[in-house]
Amino acid sequence: MDYYDIIGDIHGYASKLRQLLVKLGYVERNGCYQHASRIAIFVGDYIDRGPEQAEVIAIVKAMVDAGSALAIMGNHEFNAICYATSDPANPEQYLRKHSDSNFKQHRAFLNEFPFDSQQHTDAIEWFKTLPVYLDLEHIRVVHACWHQPAIVQLKEILNEDNTIPDDVFVTASRPEHAHFRLIEDVVKSPEVKLPDGFSFLDSGKKKRTSIRVKWWAEDIPTYRNLALSVPTASLETLPDMLVEGVYTYDSDKPVFFGHYWMQGECIPQTDKVACTDYSVAKSGDLVAYRWSGESELMARNFVRSN
Ligand SMILES: [Mn+2]
């Protein structure tokens, strides 16, 4: 059986990545980190925000090329591809609009990879080789949510290696197209609309009328208990009413993911579901879950970069 170290969102923090790999016993040889008996898995979001994005891509890509790691796609890579791709129906426009807010979110990446430069084109081509999810023999890995109904439908439209075909970047960029929701549910997060009249301010002070919801078991599934990525001050303004029909992962196969900017102590969400994103870009640590064949995930198997 292969054993894996599943590593959370890196967001351009190469020094923390090196620190974590060394702590996990990976050794750099000929510019590539390798481990004698383990394989690393990266859950996506290599870019945006941090200061060393080219270096992160170089480290991860070298490991993937050498077979010492597997890497999947995060929403930031998906967005970067759409930002770089012109819309075939309207060639003046891009699949992801070059609006002020989209530019701002992507600015640190574009500083290192000037738009349309050779480095930029090469990075985008590499992002396109990243699968949306991994369904390995004993574990599963996805950036945001193992949404089983969405994954069943994605299987029909993805390439055999779970990468995204060019035409699906187009359809998945159109909110009115069914492919949009499939990618959103898996790579970004399932959302639930709040009842009429309810809203909250997100961490960027933007008014939101939908919440990202937990997709693992929650004893009392109210809006307040299910909400993710809502600032603490806003949480109590959410309704304390039950949400009907929310998706819950119910397989026995462990799933690893990132994306949710967790804080504090590292603990699995359930004994089958574990988030490895602990907010490296908000002065948190880069985190790995060291998996050695167990079918029940345990808090003691997390490793922090610090
Ligand atoms: Mn993400």
Side-chain angles (χ1 to χ4, degrees):
M1 191 191 294
D2 285 324
Y3 291 166
Y4 299 103
D5 297 315
I6 301 98
I7 298 176
D9 307 31
I10 307 166
H11 284 303
Y13 285 84
S15 45
K16 287 192 183 173
L17 173 58
R18 289 183 187 278
Q19 207 177 347
L20 180 63
L21 288 170
V22 168
K23 197 165 169 185
L24 291 166
Y26 287 72
V27 176
E28 193 175 10
R29 223 172 269 136
N30 304 324
C32 176
Y33 285 92
Q34 311 188 13
H35 194 286
S37 56
R38 308 185 63 94
I39 297 171
I41 301 182
F42 296 102
V43 304
D45 280 5
Y46 310 104
I47 60 159
D48 290 331
R49 298 175 191 271
E52 309 146 327
Q53 301 184 26
E55 199 181 338
V56 168
I57 292 175
I59 294 169
V60 173
K61 184 176 182 300
M63 291 178 74
V64 171
D65 290 347
S68 67
L70 302 168
I72 63 167
M73 184 181 286
N75 55 309
H76 285 262
E77 288 76 46
F78 180 86
N79 287 346
I81 295 166
C82 295
Y83 195 92
T85 307
S86 52
D87 183 344
N90 188 358
E92 313 278 277
Q93 299 286 325
Y94 291 88
L95 293 179
R96 182 170 170 83
K97 281 204 176 66
H98 290 193
S99 63
D100 286 350
S101 62
N102 289 344
F103 171 72
K104 231 173 115 188
Q105 195 186 59
H106 205 33
R107 179 164 51 196
F109 174 78
L110 294 170
N111 283 341
E112 283 194 60
F113 295 83
F115 195 77
D116 250 350
S117 64
Q118 189 62 47
Q119 306 96 286
H120 181 249
T121 310
D122 291 347
I124 299 298
E125 283 311 305
W126 183 66
F127 297 161
K128 289 182 181 175
T129 69
L130 300 169
V132 175
Y133 63 88
L134 296 171
D135 198 357
L136 304 173
E137 193 180 351
H138 298 285
I139 61 167
R140 291 169 161 166
V141 186
V142 67
H143 184 63
C145 169
W146 193 280
H147 192 290
Q148 187 62 31
I151 285 181
V152 167
Q153 292 179 67
L154 277 172
K155 264 193 190 132
E156 303 290 316
I157 57 173
L158 297 180
N159 297 315
E160 209 148 308
D161 58 2
N162 295 343
T163 57
I164 302 177
D166 283 345
D167 58 326
V168 174
F169 285 107
V170 179
T171 49
S173 300
R174 306 212 193 288
E176 68 280 9
H177 196 287
H179 293 169
F180 178 84
R181 198 64 248 168
L182 299 180
I183 292 288
E184 289 271 317
D185 281 344
V186 172
V187 181
K188 303 188 179 182
S189 188
E191 292 194 356
V192 165
K193 207 186 154 317
L194 292 168
D196 285 347
F198 283 96
S199 65
F200 73 96
L201 294 180
D202 70 13
S203 56
K205 301 278 179 251
K206 193 173 161 195
K207 185 179 161 183
R208 302 263 180 186
T209 54
S210 296
I211 48 169
R212 288 177 166 184
V213 287
K214 293 175 190 167
W215 47 273
W216 46 89
E218 181 59 50
D219 290 343
I220 308 168
T222 62
Y223 289 92
R224 206 177 290 175
N225 289 345
L226 287 170
L228 278 165
S229 323
V230 174
T232 319
S234 299
L235 207 50
E236 54 201 49
T237 67
L238 298 181
D240 208 10
M241 298 151 52
L242 291 172
V243 185
E244 301 288 331
V246 69
Y247 169 73
T248 303
Y249 184 74
D250 65 358
S251 162
D252 278 342
K253 202 167 176 179
V255 188
F256 296 95
F257 60 104
H259 189 61
Y260 290 101
W261 300 90
M262 297 299 183
Q263 290 187 332
E265 209 188 320
C266 301
I267 28 171
Q269 280 58 48
T270 72
D271 60 10
K272 302 297 176 192
V273 170
C275 181
T276 57
D277 176 23
Y278 279 81
S279 309
V280 69
K282 286 182 193 158
S283 356
D285 291 329
L286 188 62
V287 164
Y289 184 96
R290 174 145 265 202
W291 184 80
S292 308
E294 69 271 21
S295 57
E296 305 211 331
L297 308 180
M298 289 170 281
R300 65 163 185 261
N301 294 336
F302 282 99
V303 179
R304 287 176 173 271
S305 54
N306 244 320

